[in-house]
Amino acid sequence: MPVEFLSADQKAKYGQFCGEPNEVQLARYFHLDAADLDFISKRRGDQNRLGFALQITSVRFLGSFLPHFESIPNNVLLFVARQLSIDDVTIINEYANRETTRREHTALIRQHYSYHEFNDPPWAFKLSRLLFARAWVNNERPSLMFDFATSWLMQNKVLLPGVTTLVRLIAEIRDRATNRLWYRLATLPNQSQIDQLEALLYVPEGSRSSLFDQFRKGPTTVSGPAFNTAIERYLNLQELGIGTLDFSTIPPVRFKNLARHSGVISMHKIARMPEEKRIAMLVAFVKAFEVTALDDALDILDLLITDIAGKAKKSGQKNRLRTLKDLDKSALVLASVCALILNEETADDDLRQAIFSKISRTQLAESIDLVNEYARPFDDKYQAEMIEQYGRVRRFLPQLLKGVSIDMAPAGETVFKAFNYLASLSSFRMKTFDQPPLDIVTNQWSRMVFDDKGRVTKQGYTLCFLDRLQDALRRHDVYVKNSDRWGDPRAKLLQGEVWRANRIQVCRSLGHTLDPETAIQKLSKE
């Protein structure tokens, strides 16, 4: 009998005493009120009254009648005996010398206190229905289901069945819920999709791995080619069409568990599974890994943009250190010129002659050129060095614009327009862009985006767009469809009737008022 999922503690506590009850438990389960005492007083003999009372209190606490009294804790025995004014508790050994007496007493208690047998209709059916709902929706561990079943039976005054009976019921219900999950998932795809899913398990000739194993492997490096490979992986999974199926009847928790299992199990084990289970595993795998593949690609994109900015900053700092000596020299020359200008003893007519006598015109012009070339604005973020990184961007930008579909929140409109503009371009061979959306161009980037003639340069605008895109993705001002980590966070909020049913509880737990305007004003002020 499959009782392996029960812990030793659960086995010890099921339907029997395990240690002495505390004072709260004694007061709740073993206290005898006036009705109890009146019912007990109809028994003849102190030993029968004490044994009868112990049966009443034990079934309240344990959920089942005691087959023997040797295991009753001493504090329970004394607590019940004091309420019956019985001083000698050893008389319990004389209780129910006849088996018939015990059977009669348990029958009287069941009738008087309305206890039910587990097999009496409809208790087994009600429990089975509740357990199936929990197994179907949450996929709870069998030990938790066992604890729930025990608690439910005691609350409804249903005598606990044998431990193997309850364990067998839970095992059967879990199997039924699992088979139902496999059936529903296996009936979602059409025959053409099923054939494509089955083909994932085959190892092509000349290859060492199947498509299933290839799709399961995520990216390991941060580079443009790695991003392209990740996007290609996502598009190949998307072509199977599993993401467009209706999964609304599948509990999310059950689906995630099955998808997680399919992502770690061997391809050969899946191939040997029964047809219905095999198709269900493949459907869950493709559906889950389609989202995972997109998230992996976007993670690489985020790291790639960060790496480009980091290398640009590092290169800029090196250039800064390399030119610092020349910049200092030129600054000193210009400082001496300024000192002459500020010298009140030098007449205005003789000022230029005095300057050129100390510093030649050529030397002064070279110093000015060096300062203009090496000096950086206070808000410079190494955009010039980022332009040098455009070669890396060119490798992955077409795949980004082609393979990723984004949407926007109101705050992401400018980035969204720029994305659509770049995606609409048929070629990137031009050096300048014609009338692109310029709302994304900040003052810091304007020096790199516009050339001397005021035209929008391809390199500057593209890098400015990537910088703003990364920021917008992190803020979720724009979000990627079909993504989990980079998707629309509003889609995970409670909506409609579900929100109205939980609104009060959620607001109270978060410390917000029920009036949205007041809550928003409070958050804005903070």
Side-chain angles (χ1 to χ4, degrees), residues 57-127:
T57 54
S58 296
V59 76
R60 289 176 185 169
F61 182 65
L62 301 175
S64 62
F65 292 107
L66 291 173
H68 51 78
F69 292 86
E70 290 80 2
S71 62
I72 295 180
N74 191 51
N75 66 337
V76 171
L77 194 59
L78 294 174
F79 186 79
V80 174
R82 281 198 300 268
Q83 297 178 77
L84 299 175
S85 302
I86 296 176
D87 298 328
D88 184 13
V89 296
T90 58
I91 61 174
I92 191 61
N93 297 325
E94 302 175 12
Y95 170 68
N97 288 328
R98 294 188 311 116
E99 188 63 29
T100 305
T101 302
R102 184 175 298 177
R103 270 200 315 270
E104 291 174 351
H105 284 182
T106 55
L108 287 171
I109 293 171
R110 283 201 304 268
Q111 181 180 1
H112 185 79
Y113 291 98
S114 300
Y115 280 96
H116 313 282
E117 292 288 349
F118 177 72
N119 292 324
D120 292 344
W123 303 108
F125 172 75
K126 284 186 175 181
L127 178 61

Side-chain angles (χ1 to χ4, degrees), residues 165-268:
T165 301
L166 197 55
V167 167
R168 186 190 304 114
L169 175 66
I170 292 173
E172 291 175 354
I173 287 174
R174 285 174 56 83
D175 288 342
R176 198 189 327 154
T178 302
N179 291 332
R180 183 187 187 189
L181 177 66
W182 295 342
Y183 171 77
R184 289 202 173 181
L185 285 174
T187 55
L188 288 178
N190 55 38
Q191 187 58 48
S192 175
Q193 291 173 324
I194 291 176
D195 294 340
Q196 290 179 306
L197 291 174
E198 296 276 17
L200 297 179
L201 301 176
Y202 297 128
V203 179
E205 187 175 353
S207 177
R208 294 185 177 182
S209 61
S210 64
L211 287 175
F212 180 87
D213 292 327
Q214 294 174 17
F215 286 147
R216 190 159 51 179
K217 294 179 181 178
T220 56
T221 59
V222 178
S223 64
F227 174 80
N228 293 336
T229 303
I231 287 292
E232 185 178 357
R233 172 190 176 213
Y234 162 68
L235 294 176
N236 289 336
L237 286 168
Q238 191 181 43
E239 286 179 358
L240 297 174
I242 301 301
T244 61
L245 302 177
D246 183 14
F247 288 85
S248 59
T249 60
I250 308 298
V253 174
R254 296 286 314 222
F255 179 82
K256 287 182 180 179
N257 289 338
L258 185 63
R260 188 183 302 114
H261 180 57
S262 66
V264 297
I265 193 173
S266 168
M267 175 269 293
H268 301 287

Side-chain angles (χ1 to χ4, degrees), residues 127 131 144-154 166 170:
L127 178 61
L131 290 176
L144 292 180
M145 294 179 65
F146 185 86
D147 290 338
F148 168 78
T150 303
S151 176
W152 185 88
L153 291 171
M154 294 176 63
L166 197 55
I170 292 173

